[in-house]
Amino acid sequence: MTNPRFDTLLITGAAGNLGRELRRGLAPLARKLRLLDRVAVSDLQANEEMVACDLADMDAVIAACEGVDMIVHFGGAPVEKPWQEVLDSSIRGSYHIYEGARKHGVSRVVYASSVHAIGFHQMESHIDARSPHRPDTLYGLSKCFVEDLGSLYWDKFGVESVMVRIFSSFPEPADRRHLWSFLTYNDCVRLVSDALTAPRVGHTVVFGMSDNKVKVTDNRLANHLGYRPQESAEPHRARIEATVPVQDPDAPSTRCLGGAYVDFPHPDDEPSK
Amino acid sequence: MTNPRFDTLLITGAAGNLGRELRRGLAPLARKLRLLDRVAVSDLQANEEMVACDLADMDAVIAACEGVDMIVHFGGAPVEKPWQEVLDSSIRGSYHIYEGARKHGVSRVVYASSVHAIGFHQMESHIDARSPHRPDTLYGLSKCFVEDLGSLYWDKFGVESVMVRIFSSFPEPADRRHLWSFLTYNDCVRLVSDALTAPRVGHTVVFGMSDNKVKVTDNRLANHLGYRPQESAEPHRARIEATVPVQDPDAPSTRCLGGAYVDFPHPDDEPSK
Amino acid sequence: MTNPRFDTLLITGAAGNLGRELRRGLAPLARKLRLLDRVAVSDLQANEEMVACDLADMDAVIAACEGVDMIVHFGGAPVEKPWQEVLDSSIRGSYHIYEGARKHGVSRVVYASSVHAIGFHQMESHIDARSPHRPDTLYGLSKCFVEDLGSLYWDKFGVESVMVRIFSSFPEPADRRHLWSFLTYNDCVRLVSDALTAPRVGHTVVFGMSDNKVKVTDNRLANHLGYRPQESAEPHRARIEATVPVQDPDAPSTRCLGGAYVDFPHPDDEPSK
Amino acid sequence: MTNPRFDTLLITGAAGNLGRELRRGLAPLARKLRLLDRVAVSDLQANEEMVACDLADMDAVIAACEGVDMIVHFGGAPVEKPWQEVLDSSIRGSYHIYEGARKHGVSRVVYASSVHAIGFHQMESHIDARSPHRPDTLYGLSKCFVEDLGSLYWDKFGVESVMVRIFSSFPEPADRRHLWSFLTYNDCVRLVSDALTAPRVGHTVVFGMSDNKVKVTDNRLANHLGYRPQESAEPHRARIEATVPVQDPDAPSTRCLGGAYVDFPHPDDEPSK
Amino acid sequence: MTNPRFDTLLITGAAGNLGRELRRGLAPLARKLRLLDRVAVSDLQANEEMVACDLADMDAVIAACEGVDMIVHFGGAPVEKPWQEVLDSSIRGSYHIYEGARKHGVSRVVYASSVHAIGFHQMESHIDARSPHRPDTLYGLSKCFVEDLGSLYWDKFGVESVMVRIFSSFPEPADRRHLWSFLTYNDCVRLVSDALTAPRVGHTVVFGMSDNKVKVTDNRLANHLGYRPQESAEPHRARIEATVPVQDPDAPSTRCLGGAYVDFPHPDDEPSK
Amino acid sequence: MTNPRFDTLLITGAAGNLGRELRRGLAPLARKLRLLDRVAVSDLQANEEMVACDLADMDAVIAACEGVDMIVHFGGAPVEKPWQEVLDSSIRGSYHIYEGARKHGVSRVVYASSVHAIGFHQMESHIDARSPHRPDTLYGLSKCFVEDLGSLYWDKFGVESVMVRIFSSFPEPADRRHLWSFLTYNDCVRLVSDALTAPRVGHTVVFGMSDNKVKVTDNRLANHLGYRPQESAEPHRARIEATVPVQDPDAPSTRCLGGAYVDFPHPDDEPSK
């Protein structure tokens, strides 16, 4: 199509690894990508504009949503952190994003939720999008909060959301769990793109994984997104099986979807972070 | 196989668009196709015989079922119509078909039911074949009636039925809803063929769609039919996205499976039809 | 309360057995009861007015709905009948009632549906209101039709409905099946009264049974009606067990909810009716 | 029993209306009740000790948990409030409570969650404890957060929780919605008492309502608490029906569990609060 | 009723504690009770006849079924035992009972299954009769076997079964688990009586508990038996709470339905038994 | 990978048809295959060692488990047999296998269960792994027993199991039922291999079928095995349809998953076997 689908997309967390992929992959969808992160990206493109601010800065975040069609919200602490940091970047920061969306008429938010929102569910439960939250960390707890925040803003204020529960998205798989949990960068971009263009999403939860051999969740309730993964972790199987020891099948980190996060100590107990 | 599976198949609505496709596609399955419609088809083939009658004519319809192995019942009003017309062609007409099947020992009926029997269900509900009826028009209401009629004739009189809930089956997709609702003519014929030859169907409900990218129903309860769509609306995506405006995601006609039918006024209120 | 809840209630089938009970039981709820039946009742009360007409008479039925708050629709053939009679009294007649409701702004219909709409389900399945229809007769099939008709009129035209699937409501229980299927007249009136006064019903299906010892359906999806049966068939147990032989547990009429109806022949086959 | 079950129970929100009832009702269960609220109660009893502090004061709250067997956490904003207030009292405050529980080995928390955590679900959905959150306000959103917080602290740190979703608990019912949503003070105390003494609760969600006539939720998944309401709103029906107008059945505030909260504007938009 | 419902009932395990209760409680239902146990009862009544044999004696057991209307099969090892004993008394013995039923046209078997057939399910799962087996001992495993044996004999040979999963049935409750697991002798007899007289049971699984305050299973799928417990463990609560320590809520024996059985060592490992 | 995954795998039933396929297919997974069967295989390979013993010989079977990583338990009677034979080979024999696993620390058992454990379920029920057992023969009953045995040994003793419910695995499909029930030898080996190498299986039930056109079960609860069939019965369709008559769709052997087994007489009744 000659004209892109959107005028302006806002991408938060744009300076991160996934942010770089999203900038590349979503460029064809919009005339302009507005990037938001604490630090400016070093390689700003012609179709991009930068907003450097902290998600905890309510006024700046709300202002950044002006004139935006949809938001790809991948910002906030990407791993387990002490409470104050989780609170500021993920809970308060996401509230600011949704307030920006509400005040500026943004129609949809695609959010980087996480497996850690449901990390204590067991592999063989094959949960679906209606299964209750079972966070495994403060990080996961903040993801639960944002999923519920999006629910409120859809039911009450008409802002649609797709909550992408990313399992493991890295340059390449590194351990045996990744053989089932991996989401390649290309599939991640594909999924976000589908979430932006699906005809109606309301408040949709989707498990973000590639087409891996072993499957541990039931994604049928997100079939209206049209997401079909095209890659898998299989090309990395031989390498991983040759180098990474077999897991104890009854260890919590094998049994539970959240992997090692279920064994993490409380982050506020740690001497330094 | 040298001998066709059936001696005689009766096809109602044989003069319509889908009827023409069925005549072509089902020919290899039977020695003879008996065609029933209000008007004779203009191009009767050697393997065909014509019965020109109205479905509302009980005696003629019952007589047309004599010597028939199975019935492909695609006749009756194909769109929303005033009550009297729905009553005569779809409700009364289908009763005549099932009476014909019962009286003449026809073993199975494959019926063109419709998305409009469940048109008020929402896209993200991902209903399956056990979800309750939610008709969106008098047309859809008559489809519900025939589905229940088939249930009675199976439980009580041993006549099997496959209720094919056709979503959108036209020469080609024309709007954005068709990108998920489309059933190509080839897939439609494939599905009817599977429904005729499956080893046991009892009273089966199947959603009739091609292998489109976005999926909005759960068809697993019809897996015993063996239907696997081979086509999709994707080849038409670029054209449609370039020419048809994006839908409001919260409009009833986007939200509900029935599309524009959920907004249709009552047909008896319309000045002329 | 000094003022009755409603100004005018329309009761169809008012000259029947249940009609007589409803006239008595619902009198306190309305200033006026409008009675509709083919023949006038012989004992019209001061708070009542009679409309004698056939349900098949569209104009008369629609006119009878003018000025009505809610409709208690208990008219139509009360047992299995030949197709033409079922079609006229139950299918066409009920369409006229719903058209009357739509045209005259009636807010709610309470309908005498029947166990025979789901008569082929088995006792030990413990179905609930979302289980599919499985009619056991043309009579039951027409009940299915009206349930779906009400669904359409709620989703599209805002007319609420309560579908009361009456199991067995007679002066007193007569056989062993009644020990679980019985709905006393008092409980029937109680249920209709609850259906009329519940704060919101949308399209609700409720199984109409008293508080019998053996229970075969799951009524939790109608708990918003507030119906709690106060009577049961137990006072009649000793009499029935002393006089009625034990049933074969695997006979269809024991196994299926519909009882003897599942064994009825086709009504159009019977020599005279 | 001669010895009370517990040595020390901590009650937060002890100066509120429900707090007063809990002090009275739970007294027999513990040797000592430690009361926490922003202001000291005026009528401190011999079996009570007061901790006056703000829930947002992390150190004070954690210290108040020392030596406590179980916590009855009824503090925090009791109605919809601007974001900052919800964040401080309910989100941050409850985090402090759970940290206090974790650090001081408190075995169980009974929390005053709310219908507003699931306020956008519809009455006729008859949701159960596994249904997803659908908050109707920032207030409800904070309740969702605490429910998930308790989930994390159970799965990871072994602190049990009972999340009591209180519907409407006031001195007496005041409107038609209360006829189904009411939880009498006595039943509330009964439910908290059961939650404290049940043999095992893990992370349990229970709907807090009395034995009202109309029921709109399915509480079977909390049957291991042993809660059986003994009162209802029925004694107030005549008064309410005589004085409060009938609700529009399709208004969101009738349809949705959250009542008027679903129509509340965003609290940060209001000129003064 | 003047004539008893049955001519002859066979009761196995008749010399045990529950056997004594059943002899007393079922006497009014049958002209004659045939008692089977390894040793003769000492107080044989006029309406009783004794068959002293081992359940492992196929010929004797089959012969004992002659002329029997229904069987109340409460024999076999009543607690965990080494494999050989479980195999002989419970697995082989029950096979002999079902063969006796099949060969002599016995219409129904009421079997003393056990909570230990599903002992590893957790309390808060609130399982129902369709949940999978999770035996906690060889004893429980043999109960699973007999439940499946009954399923085969119903589906294939038309012998009905009621599998009564008895939780704890003793003269009186002795520990805190019994406060939710107890089945009084009177309720046990009531349940067996209902199971014998229900109009149709097919293959029914029912949880055998009294009306205790805390409930941990969902018995709705057995509502067609008409069982309503009339007693509970509550009269024993004060005594037990005063004398028995509180359980650790996360101990397997608290968490799991099977109680202490889930901690039992393998019976074949024990030095002497 | 240079080193095989396992040191020693034990294969029971190794002399049978499937045993031969497993020896070939699993060879790359282990340094050594220990084969157990009543008779020695004639073509023992360098990587194999033979244990010739009867499964009913407890001491020999337990001894054969020493030093074994995982067991592929395909031994025992492969078709319907008289009770004593089923008892000895399948029930007692499998108990010996699990005792061997427990005593020698074997981590996982992959068991050849069968469709006949659930043979009386109907085709259109589309059961999943949580559906109750419905055995169709003594053979199927013994499969149910072993599935429950594995459940006990997992929950209590930490021995994992995969219960592979094989539908029809032969050199090639022979009748119309095989068109949906067939499991090719290659897919069978593939499935067993996946079951041995999946990261965690706990107690997993999987339906063993190839990727046939008609599907009659729902295998999603075994997706954590990673099994994806690569073959189907389709290449044999033309031959079978040309030579095998169409089945009566309502015959029990068409309707039920178990096929002809549901019609088998009781094996102990047969004159000679």
Side-chain angles (χ1 to χ4, degrees), chain C residues 162-169 180-199 201 204-212 215 217-233, chain D residues 126 211-216 234 237:
Chain C
V162 179
M163 304 306 183
V164 183
R165 288 181 181 161
I166 295 172
F167 274 59
S168 306
S169 205
W180 59 259
S181 70
F182 206 65
L183 175 69
T184 69
Y185 282 160
N186 287 334
D187 278 337
C188 183
V189 170
R190 191 171 283 119
L191 173 47
V192 171
S193 176
D194 289 336
L196 291 167
T197 57
V201 302
T204 294
V205 170
V206 61
F207 300 109
M209 279 179 284
S210 287
D211 185 27
N212 303 315
K215 297 190 187 310
T217 58
D218 178 346
N219 234 347
R220 77 187 188 290
L221 293 172
N223 276 343
H224 53 286
L225 298 184
Y227 170 59
R228 298 201 200 172
Q230 302 296 323
E231 298 180 337
S232 87
Chain D
H126 294 281
D211 185 27
N212 303 315
K213 178 174 164 67
V214 163
K215 298 191 186 308
V216 298
E234 284 304 295
R237 178 176 292 277

Side-chain angles (χ1 to χ4, degrees), chain C residues 148-180:
Chain C
D148 291 336
L149 176 67
S151 172
L152 172 63
Y153 275 68
W154 163 241
D155 278 330
K156 195 153 198 169
F157 306 115
V159 180
E160 292 188 296
S161 286
V162 179
M163 304 306 183
V164 183
R165 288 181 181 161
I166 295 172
F167 274 59
S168 306
S169 205
F170 304 108
E172 66 175 32
D175 61 29
R176 286 176 177 265
R177 178 171 170 273
H178 289 171
L179 290 175
W180 59 259

Side-chain angles (χ1 to χ4, degrees), chain A residues 150-168:
Chain A
S151 172
L152 173 64
Y153 274 68
W154 163 241
D155 277 330
K156 196 154 198 168
F157 305 115
V159 180
E160 292 188 296
S161 287
V162 178
M163 303 306 182
V164 183
R165 289 181 180 161
I166 295 171
F167 274 59
S168 306

Side-chain angles (χ1 to χ4, degrees), chain D residues 78 111-123 127 132-137 139-141 143-144 147 163-170 177-178 180-183 205-209 216-217 253 255-262:
Chain D
Y111 176 60
S113 184
S114 165
V115 58
H116 300 296
I118 38 91
F120 267 107
H121 281 288
Q122 298 196 15
M123 180 185 280
I127 63 166
H133 289 149
R134 289 187 69 176
D136 57 24
T137 43
Y139 170 72
L141 176 64
K143 298 296 183 182
C144 295
E147 290 189 2
M163 303 306 183
V164 183
R165 289 180 180 161
I166 295 172
F167 274 58
S168 306
S169 205
F170 305 108
R177 179 171 169 273
H178 289 171
W180 60 258
S181 69
F182 205 66
L183 176 69
V205 170
V206 62
F207 300 109
M209 279 179 286
V216 298
T217 57
S253 59
R255 186 174 69 233
C256 296
L257 296 183
Y261 274 51
V262 304

Side-chain angles (χ1 to χ4, degrees), chain D residues 20 45 62 68 84 97 112 180 188 244:
Chain D
R20 187 169 49 245
Q45 304 295 307
I62 290 176
V68 165
Q84 190 60 46
I97 286 289
W180 60 258
C188 183
V244 183

Side-chain angles (χ1 to χ4, degrees), chain E residues 102 134 136 155-156 269, chain F residues 102 134 136 155-156 269:
Chain E
R102 180 175 74 92
R134 289 187 69 176
D136 57 24
D155 277 331
K156 196 152 198 170
D269 287 349
Chain F
R102 180 176 74 90
R134 289 187 70 176
D136 59 22
D155 278 330
K156 195 154 198 169
D269 288 350

